[in-house]
Every structure is written in structure tokens, then in C-alpha cells.
Amino acid sequence: MDEDTAADGTIQLLWGLREGPTRGPKPVLSLERIAQAAVDLADAEGLGAVSMQRVAADLDFTKMSLYRYVTGKDELVAAMIDLAVGTPPTLADLPGPSWRPRIEAWVRLLAQTWEAHPWLPWVTMGDRVMGPHETGWTELSAAALAETGLTVPERMSLARMLGGHVRTTMSVLTAGTQPWVNRRQAALLREHADRYPTLCAMLDSEGAPPDNGRDFGLRLILDGVERLVADRAG
Amino acid sequence: MDEDTAADGTIQLLWGLREGPTRGPKPVLSLERIAQAAVDLADAEGLGAVSMQRVAADLDFTKMSLYRYVTGKDELVAAMIDLAVGTPPTLADLPGPSWRPRIEAWVRLLAQTWEAHPWLPWVTMGDRVMGPHETGWTELSAAALAETGLTVPERMSLARMLGGHVRTTMSVLTAGTQPWVNRRQAALLREHADRYPTLCAMLDSEGAPPDNGRDFGLRLILDGVERLVADRAG
DNA sequence: GGACAACAGTGTCCTACCGATACTGTTTCC
DNA sequence: GGAAACAGTATCGGTAGGACACTGTTGTCC
């Protein structure tokens, strides 16, 4: 019951169902300004820097004034997500003669958006209620995959999977030699070469992709889809 | 520099490099007991319930006593991870005549471990230093993929990708009708059927997999690998 | 064997955080 | 024009993580 009412509040906030009062002083702040300030802060100093106090200070207001627009930090984060994710593209933004280049473009656009707000992968995990923008991204992916011939659950599993793949290939931005292991980890591997012979032998190999294997993994997944589609057609 | 020394401390902790003193009273607590209490707490009440105070209380000790074994909460979480992930399997635990059933078994075992500790997906994101157990899991995946003929970066990208796939297919444990959308989200979609026609049309479809599409996605990925291997061989 | 140094666990304090509540001043409707 | 409704403020409480000084215990060295 507690979570339910909290989720209801978030839904009302994100989907514009909050009843706007008529009497009383005019609001000086707005949800958009607050969310924008929070997004800017998270972009600049990371999600850990986002506190009610700090967001309010950046707006030259008191911390408690934010609670007139947001019932708590969870709602603020939800508003941040839907603002940062932005207006979703449309099918016209996904060129190509078939579903494959279209969904590739979708992944590319999603990755661009997430890279602009590196805190998004952390906040978009778990069971949530998506806002209108985020739902629009999902709608677009569903539309792009419609002509694959996959079943509906398969299509949605695939869409979710692709989003997860973007997350996986973004969360590690190591500046080490190998993208799959950072500097300290490599040193530890060399110290314990007996326990980890396979990994240790891999340390000095070449040809690491600059994108954390995003294109490589995307190719694998979509090749798998093509095979599945072909198998069913034939 | 600050992060560096903190990471060094975590490395020393996880890899048993902490200098054990000889003089003074004998320690009553131990890192293992502390980490185990924290893991039990996280399993029972979620990661949010894990605080220094609470872990210490569960052990009938003072909060500050934990700091004799752990420099801070980050180190505690790192110790929790390597304890919860447990002793990794060996190649003997991955049956099969080829790499494919072996890596499938690896994914299955990893998923089992993570499902037993549902907080693991959240704390194993981002750039970290893995402990010995976690490194063992990675070593095993690298060994299982050795015979694919993929390049080293490709193999490690694939291994990371599979771990991410387990994360993606676990983080949503919705009890709704469709696994890709929860109850509230479905209601919102129906209310805004004009904005999200594709998703809305999907709401009443059948055949949702009970595993959040984990097997489906795994099949896609490994089919893609097989095609890549075949293409290069031919 | 006794003094001292090293150490384990405690008690106290500080800062940062989220959030509740009572308040002040402003706007609009009756 | 008065009263209700509302925006923003000021203050308070509870819970985090963590620094620091302290008490008591243990081993080592003379």
C-alpha cells in the first residue's frame, strides 16, 4: 500500500495528472526547472552529487520548497529520467529498407542519449513506471521490430535486451589497456597467474574495440534474430 | 589519488593482503562474519537495509567495531560481493561436447547465484576491482569460450555481454500479465493508446516466457556467435 | 616477571541526508 | 474586503557514514 501510493504519485507527476490549483500565490519554480537543474548537476558531478539541498541551492531556493513540486527524491529522479531521455525519435529517424538497420539506428540513438547522461544506466534499472518520453522510446523499438515476424513477447524481450546491451557496454569506461579489465585488475591477474591462466594469457592481446564491444554484441544479437526469422520462414 | 588509495585498500582486503598484527588482543570479529551478516541482511531485507549500524547490531557489536576490519561501506560491499558470488565452478561443472552447452551452463549457474542474491546486479555495475571469486567466474567464462576461435577482445566482450544479459533478464520481476510491462504501465498505455499504438496493441498477446526472455536472448546471442564462427571458417 | 607498545572494541561527536511540521506572506474567489 | 488556499521558509527530528579519543587486553622486550 505504501509503495502503491508512492507509485501513484510518480505516475501523476510524470503523466501530467497533478491537479493544478487556482488560488494562492503563483509558483515561481516549476517541475521542469527543478528537474533540469538536477539533470545538469548529475551530468556535471555525478548522481551522488544530487541531493535536495544541492538542487535547491543551485536554484537559489530552500530545500523544502522543492517538496511543493515533488513528493520526495524518488519522484525527482523519475522526473530527471524522463527529462534526460528526451523526446524520442520517430520512425522517420530510423532509416533503412528493413528492420535491421532501423533497430541498429535505434540502438545508436539510445546509446548517444545515455552517453550524454552517464547516470541513466543506474537509475533505469528495476521495476519502475516509465514516463511518456521513455515509453515513446519503447514504442519506437516495438514499431521497428514489428516486421521481424517475431512474437510479441519475443519482440519485447529483444527490445529490453538491446537496452540492456547498451547499459552493459557503457558502464565500463576504463582507461586501461584492455577494455575488459582495468589497470589494477591486470596487475592482480599477473600476480595470480596460476589461478587465472586463461585471463592472464589474454592480457597482452591486441585489437580491443573502442566501443566496449557494443557493435560486436549488437551484430551477434541481430544475426541471431536473422537466423531465427529465416528458420521460421523456411 | 583519493580513489586510488581507497581502491588499494579494497584490493588488499579482497586479496588477503592486509597485514595481520601479532600483538594486542585477539580479534573477536572477523571479516567473514561481518560480510556474512551483511549478505544475510541484504538477502532478507534488501540492500537498503544494509547499514553499518544494522550489520553491527545483528552481530551484537558496536558500529565502529566494524571499521577495524573494513575501511568503509564500500569495502564492506566489495566483501559482500565476493562472498555472495561464492566459489566459482570449474570446467568440470560445464558439461557438453562443445563451447555452446558449456557457456550455456555457465550462464545458468551465474543466474542461479545472482537469483539467490537479488541485490548483486546493482552492486556489480561500473568500474570495480573484482575479488578472487568473481575473477574465477570470469576466468571460467574465458576458458569456456576459448575454443570458439574468437579473438580475445571478442571473447571478453561476449562474456561481459552474457553477464549483462543475466542482469537484464533478472532486474524485472514484475507480477503483471506481461513481463515487459507492469500493471500500472499497462493502464497508462491503454489511456494513451493514440500515442503508443504499437505497444497498446501488444498488451493482450499471449505466450510470455516465464524467464523474462533469458533463454530466448541467450539463444539469439549464441546463434550469432555460431554464425560468426562459421563465416570465418568457411 | 614487569613495563610498554600495539591493538580490539566502545562512546562520543560531527556532518550530510531525507523528510515532517509549523509558520509567513501572497493570491484569488465569494 | 475578508477568508481560504497556496508558495516558499525556518526549524526540527531521525538516520546515515565516519573521525577521534578512550578503555581494557595482549604480546614482546628488557
Side-chain angles (χ1 to χ4, degrees):
Chain A
M1 202 60 173
D2 228 0
E3 299 171 4
D4 276 15
T5 50
D8 280 340
T10 306
I11 290 172
Q12 291 170 12
L13 180 85
L14 291 177
W15 291 84
L17 304 177
R18 210 82 109 190
E19 328 98 39
T22 56
R23 285 186 271 194
K26 309 212 164 162
V28 184
L29 273 168
S30 71
L31 177 62
E32 286 70 27
R33 277 184 66 193
I34 295 172
Q36 185 65 58
V39 166
D40 292 344
L41 182 57
D43 290 346
E45 304 181 30
L47 196 63
V50 175
S51 71
M52 296 288 139
Q53 203 121 6
R54 182 64 196 280
V55 172
D58 285 6
L59 290 164
D60 274 313
F61 278 85
T62 325
K63 173 187 64 167
M64 291 312 293
S65 66
L66 306 187
Y67 286 89
R68 289 276 166 194
Y69 302 86
V70 154
T71 64
K73 198 181 182 181
D74 290 346
E75 272 196 19
L76 174 60
V77 173
M80 286 173 67
I81 294 173
D82 218 56
L83 178 67
V85 95
T87 306
T90 65
L91 264 180
D93 299 312
L94 307 184
S98 68
W99 59 267
R100 179 152 184 168
R102 269 197 273 272
I103 200 65
E104 283 172 348
W106 182 86
V107 168
R108 193 164 41 245
L109 289 172
L110 181 69
Q112 281 176 12
T113 303
W114 281 19
E115 307 257 4
H117 309 284
W119 44 273
L120 274 177
W122 270 265
V123 179
T124 50
M125 282 186 67
D127 190 17
R128 304 173 298 114
V129 174
M130 295 189 294
H133 287 158
E134 214 181 343
T135 307
W137 280 88
T138 307
E139 163 80 13
L140 183 60
S141 71
L145 294 174
E147 50 169 314
T148 52
L150 299 179
T151 71
V152 165
E154 285 172 347
R155 263 177 276 171
M156 297 320 292
S157 291
L158 178 55
R160 177 173 289 277
M161 183 182 177
L162 292 174
H165 180 58
V166 172
R167 196 197 322 270
T168 303
T169 51
M170 182 163 40
S171 52
V172 179
L173 298 172
T174 314
T177 313
Q178 298 286 339
W180 49 275
V181 70
N182 59 32
R183 188 165 32 91
R184 301 163 178 287
Q185 197 83 56
L188 285 166
L189 286 178
R190 290 189 206 280
E191 282 177 32
H192 299 81
D194 51 331
R195 279 181 75 177
Y196 312 106
T198 316
L199 291 179
C200 210
M202 290 175 159
L203 280 177
D204 300 312
S205 61
E206 302 284 340
D211 66 343
N212 279 325
R214 178 172 297 162
D215 286 346
F216 173 72
L218 181 60
R219 176 185 166 185
L220 293 184
I221 297 172
L222 299 186
D223 279 357
V225 174
E226 278 191 356
R227 170 166 166 185
L228 180 62
V229 169
D231 282 356
R232 286 184 183 168
Chain B
M1 201 58 171
D2 229 0
E3 299 172 5
D4 277 15
T5 51
D8 281 339
T10 305
I11 290 172
Q12 291 170 13
L13 180 84
L14 291 178
W15 292 84
L17 304 176
R18 209 82 109 194
E19 329 98 38
T22 57
R23 285 187 268 194
K26 308 214 163 161
V28 183
L29 273 170
S30 71
L31 177 62
E32 285 71 27
R33 276 185 67 193
I34 295 172
Q36 186 63 60
V39 166
D40 292 343
L41 183 56
D43 289 346
E45 303 182 28
L47 196 62
V50 175
S51 70
M52 297 285 139
Q53 202 120 4
R54 181 65 195 281
V55 173
D58 285 6
L59 290 164
D60 274 312
F61 278 85
T62 324
K63 172 185 66 169
M64 290 314 292
S65 65
L66 306 187
Y67 287 90
R68 289 276 164 196
Y69 302 85
V70 153
T71 63
K73 198 182 182 181
D74 291 346
E75 272 197 17
L76 174 60
V77 173
M80 288 173 66
I81 295 173
D82 218 55
L83 178 67
V85 96
T87 306
T90 65
L91 264 180
D93 299 312
L94 306 184
S98 67
W99 60 267
R100 180 154 184 166
R102 270 198 272 273
I103 200 66
E104 283 172 347
W106 182 84
V107 168
R108 193 165 39 245
L109 290 172
L110 181 68
Q112 280 176 14
T113 303
W114 281 18
E115 307 257 5
H117 308 284
W119 43 274
L120 274 177
W122 270 265
V123 285
T124 50
M125 284 187 66
D127 191 18
R128 303 172 299 115
V129 175
M130 294 189 296
H133 287 158
E134 215 181 341
T135 308
W137 280 88
T138 307
E139 163 80 13
L140 182 61
S141 72
L145 294 174
E147 48 168 316
T148 53
L150 299 179
T151 71
V152 165
E154 283 171 349
R155 264 177 275 169
M156 298 319 293
S157 291
L158 178 55
R160 177 174 288 280
M161 184 180 176
L162 293 174
H165 179 58
V166 173
R167 198 198 320 271
T168 303
T169 52
M170 182 163 38
S171 53
V172 179
L173 298 172
T174 315
T177 312
Q178 297 286 339
W180 51 274
V181 71
N182 59 32
R183 188 166 30 92
R184 302 162 177 288
Q185 197 82 56
L188 285 165
L189 286 178
R190 291 188 205 278
E191 282 177 32
H192 298 81
D194 51 330
R195 278 182 77 177
Y196 313 105
T198 316
L199 292 178
C200 209
M202 290 175 160
L203 279 177
D204 301 311
S205 60
E206 302 285 337
D211 66 342
N212 279 326
R214 177 171 297 160
D215 286 345
F216 173 72
L218 181 59
R219 175 186 168 184
L220 293 185
I221 296 172
L222 298 186
D223 278 356
V225 175
E226 278 191 355
R227 171 167 166 184
L228 181 61
V229 170
D231 282 358
R232 285 183 182 166

